[in-house]
Amino acid sequence: MTPRIAVVGGGVSGLTAAYALRRRLGADAAIDVYDAADRPGGLLCTRHAGPVAMDVGAEAFIIRRPEALALVTELGLAGEVVSPGPLRPAIWSGGRLHPMPRPAVMGVPDGAAAMGALIGDADRALIDGEAARPLNWTPGAAVSVGALVRDRFGDAVVARSVDPMLGGVYSARADDLGLAETVPALAAALDAGADSLTSAVRGILAAPAPGGPVFGALRGGYRRLVEVLSGASGASILPETPVHRIEADRGGYVLDAAGAARDYDAVIVAVPPWRAATLLAAVAPESAATLSQVPAAGSAVVGCVLAPGTALPGHSGILVASDAGMRSKAVTLSSQKWPHLAESGPPVLRVSFGRLGEPVTADDDTLLTWAAEDLATYFAGAGLAAPVIEHTVVQRWPEGLPQYAPGHLAAMAGARDSLPAGLALAGAAFDGVGVPACIGSARRAAARIVDHLPA
């Protein structure tokens, strides 16, 4: 019999799940992808600021994780992968730009010297004496990054190095993020017996690192991946068709979608966990209860096209210290970060707002004003005139990213394990928020469904 599978959610996780199902099940399988939005892609979103197309959601993927590069290679897009240039981000703190602390692991330095002028003498003494202080560490402890680093290295390191780094990835402060969830190598080093935070960081940094670039992007933006992936899936993609409920029925499942009941043999749910909780309430109540507890961090991106010839700070971006008193949390100097953008058009950049507990409630005009004012401040700190902004686009992400609080991964594993056969979960809540992690979670969800279907 021809299998019928529904995928709820048309972001990169849902589209990858549909593609993986197609490759495993062949051309005859009926695969429907439901999405409440008017376009597939989710956080892979390309919009125009005047004549310039800009990614205003995810903009890059980690090459050293294999999932994204493997997928784009399968799809014939390997020739469109581009690498960032040699410039590094700067930290905005104390009214000036500072070099990014290094050596460091996700902003956690290997010693006081790595912090440069971001800290004072008292902080230096605290950091350099950390290895001599007893460390009370319980293997497997559910501790936040902020709590650990604050205790061992002080407030300034958290606010001026760790917060800026993690905030750019998770839209949250280090105090809200689990160590094992967001810096697993550091948690593993401590679990393995490192006698101080300093020695744990140095041990990680001493390990051989893969060569080549860390990040990659697609020359045409993420819209290229969405277009090609949608086509390769061979799925029926149903935009503006929200699913309201999933129920079990005669060994399969019934979806309430846009007021119609539709039958399927299996379902992959690839929407944010708080939405998945509503869908699964009837058919998987234990999983739904767990998923409903995951908080969301909203954010907004203001994309800017600058006047031709505008000079940019000599960095790939600006990460803002959480104690700097600024409204924006980061600036991606896209034309500095990606050489192919500098070759093909006017200077472009992105200004980011919003963290967990700090929702973006300002209207678009206010956001544009804030972006212009913050950019003028940052440019002045680099000795440059305020940029002339010619075109803008505002993209809001009201729900944004699921939060990786201490214990999050264990909770999500429990939610997966509690699902009945024929249901699977995929997305940014389960194995990491980045594009490679979402691709990996989608492939695992597809494998679970294929294993469930009759041979």
PDB file of all heavy atoms in Angstrom, residues 168-184:
ATOM      1  N   GLY A 168      24.050  35.735  20.687  1.00  0.00           N
ATOM      2  CA  GLY A 168      23.917  35.712  19.244  1.00  0.00           C
ATOM      3  C   GLY A 168      23.378  34.402  18.717  1.00  0.00           C
ATOM      4  O   GLY A 168      22.818  34.353  17.620  1.00  0.00           O
ATOM      5  N   VAL A 169      23.544  33.330  19.470  1.00  0.00           N
ATOM      6  CA  VAL A 169      23.095  32.003  19.033  1.00  0.00           C
ATOM      7  C   VAL A 169      21.702  31.691  19.568  1.00  0.00           C
ATOM      8  O   VAL A 169      20.838  31.189  18.846  1.00  0.00           O
ATOM      9  CB  VAL A 169      24.090  30.918  19.491  1.00  0.00           C
ATOM     10  CG1 VAL A 169      23.607  29.529  19.075  1.00  0.00           C
ATOM     11  CG2 VAL A 169      25.474  31.193  18.932  1.00  0.00           C
ATOM     12  N   TYR A 170      21.468  31.994  20.852  1.00  0.00           N
ATOM     13  CA  TYR A 170      20.254  31.542  21.526  1.00  0.00           C
ATOM     14  C   TYR A 170      19.279  32.657  21.899  1.00  0.00           C
ATOM     15  O   TYR A 170      18.206  32.378  22.427  1.00  0.00           O
ATOM     16  CB  TYR A 170      20.621  30.790  22.813  1.00  0.00           C
ATOM     17  CG  TYR A 170      21.386  29.519  22.556  1.00  0.00           C
ATOM     18  CD1 TYR A 170      22.783  29.505  22.600  1.00  0.00           C
ATOM     19  CD2 TYR A 170      20.722  28.339  22.260  1.00  0.00           C
ATOM     20  CE1 TYR A 170      23.495  28.337  22.355  1.00  0.00           C
ATOM     21  CE2 TYR A 170      21.423  27.165  22.020  1.00  0.00           C
ATOM     22  CZ  TYR A 170      22.816  27.178  22.072  1.00  0.00           C
ATOM     23  OH  TYR A 170      23.511  26.024  21.829  1.00  0.00           O
ATOM     24  N   SER A 171      19.637  33.917  21.670  1.00  0.00           N
ATOM     25  CA  SER A 171      18.791  35.042  22.074  1.00  0.00           C
ATOM     26  C   SER A 171      18.452  34.968  23.562  1.00  0.00           C
ATOM     27  O   SER A 171      17.303  35.144  23.982  1.00  0.00           O
ATOM     28  CB  SER A 171      17.493  35.080  21.254  1.00  0.00           C
ATOM     29  OG  SER A 171      17.754  35.388  19.909  1.00  0.00           O
ATOM     30  N   ALA A 172      19.463  34.716  24.374  1.00  0.00           N
ATOM     31  CA  ALA A 172      19.274  34.632  25.824  1.00  0.00           C
ATOM     32  C   ALA A 172      20.586  34.961  26.510  1.00  0.00           C
ATOM     33  O   ALA A 172      21.657  34.940  25.905  1.00  0.00           O
ATOM     34  CB  ALA A 172      18.802  33.239  26.231  1.00  0.00           C
ATOM     35  N   ARG A 173      20.487  35.263  27.790  1.00  0.00           N
ATOM     36  CA  ARG A 173      21.677  35.502  28.602  1.00  0.00           C
ATOM     37  C   ARG A 173      22.217  34.177  29.121  1.00  0.00           C
ATOM     38  O   ARG A 173      21.490  33.181  29.227  1.00  0.00           O
ATOM     39  CB  ARG A 173      21.359  36.440  29.761  1.00  0.00           C
ATOM     40  CG  ARG A 173      20.939  37.839  29.309  1.00  0.00           C
ATOM     41  CD  ARG A 173      20.550  38.701  30.510  1.00  0.00           C
ATOM     42  NE  ARG A 173      19.987  39.973  30.089  1.00  0.00           N
ATOM     43  CZ  ARG A 173      20.692  41.088  29.932  1.00  0.00           C
ATOM     44  NH1 ARG A 173      21.994  41.077  30.162  1.00  0.00           N
ATOM     45  NH2 ARG A 173      20.105  42.207  29.565  1.00  0.00           N
ATOM     46  N   ALA A 174      23.480  34.188  29.483  1.00  0.00           N
ATOM     47  CA  ALA A 174      24.133  32.958  29.944  1.00  0.00           C
ATOM     48  C   ALA A 174      23.469  32.384  31.184  1.00  0.00           C
ATOM     49  O   ALA A 174      23.479  31.165  31.387  1.00  0.00           O
ATOM     50  CB  ALA A 174      25.615  33.248  30.225  1.00  0.00           C
ATOM     51  N   ASP A 175      22.881  33.236  32.024  1.00  0.00           N
ATOM     52  CA  ASP A 175      22.222  32.743  33.233  1.00  0.00           C
ATOM     53  C   ASP A 175      20.997  31.886  32.925  1.00  0.00           C
ATOM     54  O   ASP A 175      20.549  31.117  33.776  1.00  0.00           O
ATOM     55  CB  ASP A 175      21.793  33.919  34.117  1.00  0.00           C
ATOM     56  CG  ASP A 175      22.975  34.607  34.773  1.00  0.00           C
ATOM     57  OD1 ASP A 175      23.967  33.918  35.088  1.00  0.00           O
ATOM     58  OD2 ASP A 175      22.912  35.830  34.955  1.00  0.00           O
ATOM     59  N   ASP A 176      20.448  32.006  31.728  1.00  0.00           N
ATOM     60  CA  ASP A 176      19.251  31.249  31.354  1.00  0.00           C
ATOM     61  C   ASP A 176      19.565  29.995  30.552  1.00  0.00           C
ATOM     62  O   ASP A 176      18.644  29.262  30.166  1.00  0.00           O
ATOM     63  CB  ASP A 176      18.305  32.139  30.535  1.00  0.00           C
ATOM     64  CG  ASP A 176      17.788  33.314  31.334  1.00  0.00           C
ATOM     65  OD1 ASP A 176      17.385  33.101  32.492  1.00  0.00           O
ATOM     66  OD2 ASP A 176      17.798  34.449  30.810  1.00  0.00           O
ATOM     67  N   LEU A 177      20.825  29.722  30.268  1.00  0.00           N
ATOM     68  CA  LEU A 177      21.207  28.644  29.367  1.00  0.00           C
ATOM     69  C   LEU A 177      21.999  27.568  30.099  1.00  0.00           C
ATOM     70  O   LEU A 177      22.902  27.862  30.881  1.00  0.00           O
ATOM     71  CB  LEU A 177      22.047  29.198  28.208  1.00  0.00           C
ATOM     72  CG  LEU A 177      21.327  30.215  27.314  1.00  0.00           C
ATOM     73  CD1 LEU A 177      22.315  30.897  26.381  1.00  0.00           C
ATOM     74  CD2 LEU A 177      20.209  29.540  26.528  1.00  0.00           C
ATOM     75  N   GLY A 178      21.658  26.315  29.836  1.00  0.00           N
ATOM     76  CA  GLY A 178      22.334  25.199  30.479  1.00  0.00           C
ATOM     77  C   GLY A 178      23.736  24.987  29.935  1.00  0.00           C
ATOM     78  O   GLY A 178      23.971  25.099  28.728  1.00  0.00           O
ATOM     79  N   LEU A 179      24.673  24.647  30.807  1.00  0.00           N
ATOM     80  CA  LEU A 179      26.044  24.402  30.369  1.00  0.00           C
ATOM     81  C   LEU A 179      26.111  23.181  29.456  1.00  0.00           C
ATOM     82  O   LEU A 179      26.686  23.240  28.370  1.00  0.00           O
ATOM     83  CB  LEU A 179      26.953  24.199  31.585  1.00  0.00           C
ATOM     84  CG  LEU A 179      28.431  23.972  31.252  1.00  0.00           C
ATOM     85  CD1 LEU A 179      29.067  25.255  30.743  1.00  0.00           C
ATOM     86  CD2 LEU A 179      29.189  23.453  32.476  1.00  0.00           C
ATOM     87  N   ALA A 180      25.534  22.069  29.885  1.00  0.00           N
ATOM     88  CA  ALA A 180      25.580  20.855  29.070  1.00  0.00           C
ATOM     89  C   ALA A 180      24.839  21.043  27.762  1.00  0.00           C
ATOM     90  O   ALA A 180      25.178  20.417  26.756  1.00  0.00           O
ATOM     91  CB  ALA A 180      24.985  19.680  29.852  1.00  0.00           C
ATOM     92  N   GLU A 181      23.827  21.917  27.760  1.00  0.00           N
ATOM     93  CA  GLU A 181      23.017  22.125  26.572  1.00  0.00           C
ATOM     94  C   GLU A 181      23.695  23.013  25.536  1.00  0.00           C
ATOM     95  O   GLU A 181      23.490  22.835  24.333  1.00  0.00           O
ATOM     96  CB  GLU A 181      21.678  22.749  26.968  1.00  0.00           C
ATOM     97  CG  GLU A 181      20.685  21.795  27.597  1.00  0.00           C
ATOM     98  CD  GLU A 181      21.030  21.418  29.027  1.00  0.00           C
ATOM     99  OE1 GLU A 181      21.908  22.068  29.643  1.00  0.00           O
ATOM    100  OE2 GLU A 181      20.437  20.457  29.549  1.00  0.00           O
ATOM    101  N   THR A 182      24.490  23.984  25.982  1.00  0.00           N
ATOM    102  CA  THR A 182      25.009  24.988  25.048  1.00  0.00           C
ATOM    103  C   THR A 182      26.528  24.994  24.915  1.00  0.00           C
ATOM    104  O   THR A 182      27.045  25.460  23.891  1.00  0.00           O
ATOM    105  CB  THR A 182      24.540  26.398  25.473  1.00  0.00           C
ATOM    106  OG1 THR A 182      24.996  26.672  26.799  1.00  0.00           O
ATOM    107  CG2 THR A 182      23.018  26.491  25.434  1.00  0.00           C
ATOM    108  N   VAL A 183      27.244  24.505  25.904  1.00  0.00           N
ATOM    109  CA  VAL A 183      28.705  24.365  25.802  1.00  0.00           C
ATOM    110  C   VAL A 183      29.050  22.946  26.255  1.00  0.00           C
ATOM    111  O   VAL A 183      29.711  22.747  27.280  1.00  0.00           O
ATOM    112  CB  VAL A 183      29.453  25.416  26.644  1.00  0.00           C
ATOM    113  CG1 VAL A 183      30.909  25.544  26.177  1.00  0.00           C
ATOM    114  CG2 VAL A 183      28.791  26.788  26.567  1.00  0.00           C
ATOM    115  N   PRO A 184      28.602  21.937  25.512  1.00  0.00           N
ATOM    116  CA  PRO A 184      28.745  20.559  25.990  1.00  0.00           C
ATOM    117  C   PRO A 184      30.185  20.118  26.188  1.00  0.00           C
ATOM    118  O   PRO A 184      30.453  19.300  27.078  1.00  0.00           O
ATOM    119  CB  PRO A 184      28.045  19.737  24.900  1.00  0.00           C
ATOM    120  CG  PRO A 184      28.022  20.616  23.693  1.00  0.00           C
ATOM    121  CD  PRO A 184      27.902  22.011  24.220  1.00  0.00           C
TER     122      PRO A 184
END
